[in-house]
Structure formats: C-alpha cells, structure tokens
Amino acid sequence: MTDPHDRRAAASRSAAARGVAARAAARRRRITGRVALALAAALTLSLTGYGWAAYHGVVSGLQVSDVLDGQSTSSGGDTNILIMGLDSRLDENGNPLPKDIYNSLHAGDQQDGGYNANVLMLLHVPGDGGKATSISIPRDDYVPLAGCPDNVCKGKIKQAYGLAFDEKAKQLVSQNVTDKSQREQQARDAGRRAEIDTVRKFLGDVPIDHFVEVTLVAFFEIAQVVQPITVCLNEDTQDSYSGANFRAGQQEISAEQAVEFVRQRRDNVHPSLNFTDLDRERRQQAFIASLAYQLKQGGTFTNPAKLQGIMDVAKQNTAVDSSLDLLALAKQASSLTGGNVSFVTLPVDHFGKSPSGEDVNFVNTGQIQSLVAQLLSGAPVPTPAAYVTPMTHSSSVPAPPPALSGGGIPCVK
C-alpha cells in the first residue's frame, strides 16, 4: 500500500514539473513573439514581418545569401538591418506569380516592376535594449552608385540593385550559364551587394550587419494572414492609380487595401493634398507601427495558425543574409515591443532632373551623414525643423512622426 506522504510528494513533484514546463513554454512563446515582431517591422515596409515557430525550421526554408560575408559589423552589440523592398512582380526564384495574386495586387503582372529597391529602410536595434530607430531612405535620392553597375556611376539610390542585376545577368548569359535558378540567384546577389554598398557609403560608411529582402507579394501575403489591419488617415483620399479609396479616421482594411494604402503616392480627387513619394514612405512607417501594435494586442504570437501562416509566407518570398541569427535577434529585439520604434525619413534638399532627364531628389550628403551618425549614437530623434534645409517644394519636407489615434494606431495624410 502506498504511503499517503509518498503520494503527496509525488503529486507535488508533478505539479512542480508542470509549472517548469509551463514557464518554459511561455518563455518560448515570448521569444517567438519578439522575433515575429522584430521581423514584422522588417517585412512590412517592405515593408513587413514574420512569426517564427521553430528557429531552425525557418532558416532551412528561407532563401539565404552570403553577400555580407567579411563585412564590418556594428560595435557594442548594436544591430543594423537593411530592409530592401523590390519592385519585382516575380517570386524569389524569378518565376511569375499566380494570376489571382496579380489581380489582387492591382499592380500589373510579371511584365511590370523590376529589380529596383523601391523601399529602403535601415532598422537600428541598440544592443542595450534602448529604443530602436527605423530610417527611411527616399528611393529617388540621386547618389553615387557603388561599383558603377552597368557603367552607371550616379543615379537614383534604388537603381543600384537593378543595374547590378542586369549587368550580372548579361554576363551569365554570355558565359552560357543555362540553369535559370542559378542565374537568378547570382544576379540577385550582385544586386544585393551593389545596393548594400551604395546605401552604406551614402549614409557615411555605416556598418550593415544584416539584410532582409522582400517583394510586393510577400507584403500582400503577410497582410492576408493578419487582416483586417487597422489604419488611420487624417483626410479622405482617393487614387485611381493604386486603387486607394479611403475615408478619414480610423478604419479596418483588407490585405488588398493594405497594398493600396502603402503604394499610394498621388490623389487625383483631392489635389490639395499634394502627395509625393515621401508621403508614401510615411504611409509605410505608419503601417508598420499599426501592424506591430495589432500583433501584440491581438495575441497573434500565441496563435499557432497565424504564426505558421506568417512563417510559410516568409519562406516563399523573402531572402536574408546567411549570418542572420534569428534567435539572437529575438533576445535583442525587446526594444521593438510595444511600438517602441522611432521612424525617421531622411531629408531631401530639392527636386530636379538628372543629366539624363529623370526626376530625382537632390540631397545634402553631409547633412544626411551627420543626422544618421546622430541617430545611430542613440541621441534623441530631432524634429524636422532641426535638420531640414529650405526646399523648393514644400511637400518635400519630411512630415513629423504620425499622430496616434485612439488605441495607439498612427494617423497619417
């Protein structure tokens, strides 16, 4: 016959074991949640995000690149991640997307777009757990292009990727490389290297530790997993080009509308709003902040189905550098929880034409490098008036951080 004391002791040990297991499971969920939120910021931009249920499973499914091997890294435990959103309407292997995806995107088909990096953001995560900073780089800034890809030594910053891609693709064809997947990835690596080097030099030789590359379809499919998404606008706005048609105020939108929201850069009904590319970047920033807030508030990180859905999308349409340690990033990314991210758009001096006749943004490189150095040092984010020089076009002045509506959702133009 079992002694009652033994039964009580066994029960106590079992309860303790269950408690340890529960705490371990909760800790795993917290780590998973922080990784998802950190990369949610990354993908939404370009915009944004992932949830990872199993670290090694995710890494094995992602397209990885070695282009950052041997590059300088940040000091003091800081991490700089360059987010590149490609204009391509193809998947990561260069294949066309399903027709229903093209119909939902309202952005043409595989013949449209290209390999320009239309979204460029540098996400700075301090090693001390302080507030993170997301720095948006206007895609049409006229800058020196690293390595003069395709013999073009100066152009829009977004063009470094596409020009280097084209140059490498032509070289591979001349070398009779027939494997399509091999050609695609080697050409993309050339594009990644040129874009990263161009951004690094433009910002003042800042270290870039990692990169995340996404296409338009990745953004759409992430939005499908987490829809509806709450956004907030200061005024009614409509744009037949992107399909945007939104009312003023806070509202829930679908995945298709989310693409329209972040792509809008004109308003053909309310011309007084005077949209520019810079307004689109503010939309992207606001969307990231809204998504991060909703993921945290809505319990997405404890929902296995949604986490798996986000993970599956990331595997299909995302590329990262081979040294990106997602588990380490999860431990470091507590600064991204609760929307604790400052968003900054780099200033433009004035608009004009390049020697080839393209519309470009002319910038004060010294001013930008000084601002970036200040931001990466952990100094408070300055107000636009503190670092923007007079401009020839009033709408080129970067807007202040989006105002928060009820519930922590940022409102924008």
Side-chain angles (χ1 to χ4, degrees), residues 44-47 85 87 89 107 117-119 121 136 138-140 158 216 239 241-242 258-266 274-288 345 395 399 412-413:
T44 298
L45 317 100
S46 38
L47 207 132
D87 195 31
R89 272 59 159 177
N118 271 4
V119 175
M121 290 187 177
S136 289
R139 64 179 187 167
D140 291 340
K158 68 178 183 180
L216 187 61
D239 171 23
Y241 182 82
S242 67
V259 175
E260 297 165 0
F261 182 87
V262 299
R263 289 186 67 240
Q264 183 179 1
R265 60 188 177 95
R266 54 173 65 83
N274 201 19
F275 271 93
T276 72
D277 265 0
L278 301 184
D279 294 301
R280 178 161 63 176
E281 288 168 6
R282 299 303 297 165
R283 292 285 193 93
Q284 294 165 356
Q285 294 169 347
F287 191 90
I288 293 170
T345 300
S395 64
V412 292
K413 178 176 170 182

Side-chain angles (χ1 to χ4, degrees), residues 56-379:
H56 293 291
V58 170
V59 171
S60 65
L62 280 172
Q63 181 69 50
V64 296
S65 168
D66 294 326
V67 296
L68 283 177
D69 281 3
Q71 302 286 356
S72 61
T73 56
S74 300
S75 59
D78 294 352
T79 301
N80 293 332
I81 305 173
L82 180 63
I83 299 148
M84 298 182 287
L86 300 188
D87 195 31
S88 173
R89 272 59 159 177
L90 303 172
D91 67 14
E92 274 294 330
N93 295 311
N95 299 314
L97 304 169
K99 185 175 179 180
D100 63 313
I101 294 291
Y102 288 128
N103 291 338
S104 298
L105 291 176
H106 301 294
D109 57 20
Q110 66 267 31
Q111 304 301 322
D112 296 286
Y115 289 92
N116 286 335
N118 271 4
V119 175
L120 289 167
M121 290 187 177
L122 185 70
L123 179 64
H124 173 69
V125 184
D128 62 4
K131 193 167 188 175
T133 303
S134 176
I135 302 173
S136 289
I137 305 166
R139 64 179 187 167
D140 291 340
D141 284 0
Y142 191 60
V143 304
L145 304 181
C148 296
D150 237 2
N151 296 316
V152 179
C153 295
K154 196 165 186 180
K156 298 180 183 182
I157 194 168
K158 68 178 183 180
Q159 294 174 326
Y161 194 117
L163 289 169
F165 178 97
D166 287 343
E167 181 179 52
K168 185 65 175 181
K170 288 183 288 189
Q171 177 187 351
L172 293 170
V173 169
S174 70
Q175 294 172 348
N176 296 317
V177 177
T178 57
D179 185 280
K180 179 182 176 182
S181 177
Q182 183 181 359
R183 288 203 314 265
E184 180 75 14
Q185 289 309 315
Q186 287 189 35
R188 287 204 180 199
D189 272 350
R192 292 159 184 154
R193 187 176 294 108
E195 193 66 57
I196 290 168
D197 287 346
T198 296
V199 170
R200 179 191 290 116
K201 292 179 181 179
F202 174 58
L203 299 184
D205 291 322
V206 302
I208 295 177
D209 306 290
H210 305 292
F211 79 84
V212 175
E213 173 189 298
V214 296
T215 58
L216 187 61
V217 66
F219 173 84
F220 171 66
E221 291 184 338
I222 287 290
Q224 280 187 311
V225 175
V226 300
Q227 65 183 343
I229 304 115
T230 303
V231 297
C232 182
L233 289 169
N234 292 322
E235 302 180 63
D236 293 346
T237 183
Q238 191 171 337
D239 171 23
S240 59
Y241 182 82
S242 67
N245 187 357
F246 302 107
R247 58 177 173 79
Q250 189 168 304
Q251 57 210 280
E252 289 188 341
I253 62 175
S254 67
E256 290 185 28
Q257 290 174 311
V259 175
E260 297 165 0
F261 182 87
V262 299
R263 289 186 67 240
Q264 183 179 1
R265 60 188 177 95
R266 54 173 65 83
D267 188 316
N268 51 11
V269 177
H270 310 91
S272 61
L273 291 178
N274 201 19
F275 271 93
T276 72
D277 265 0
L278 301 184
D279 294 301
R280 178 161 63 176
E281 288 168 6
R282 299 303 297 165
R283 292 285 193 93
Q284 294 165 356
Q285 294 169 347
F287 191 90
I288 293 170
S290 294
L291 181 61
Y293 178 83
Q294 285 181 240
L295 290 175
K296 187 173 188 296
Q297 296 296 315
T300 298
F301 302 139
T302 59
N303 184 323
K306 283 198 172 184
L307 284 176
Q308 186 64 49
I310 295 173
M311 182 180 72
D312 290 343
V313 172
K315 287 183 178 182
Q316 296 168 13
N317 299 294
T318 305
V320 300
D321 62 283
S322 56
S323 63
L324 180 59
D325 185 339
L326 299 176
L327 189 57
L329 180 61
K331 295 176 181 177
Q332 186 184 35
S334 58
S335 61
L336 298 184
T337 59
N340 192 22
V341 184
S342 294
F343 292 98
V344 177
T345 300
L346 294 181
V348 170
D349 189 77
H350 63 280
F351 297 129
K353 298 280 187 181
S354 70
S356 63
E358 291 185 304
D359 292 321
V360 297
N361 306 329
F362 289 100
V363 297
N364 183 327
T365 303
Q367 179 191 50
I368 284 174
Q369 292 181 356
S370 176
L371 171 62
V372 170
Q374 180 181 355
L375 294 170
L376 300 189
S377 72

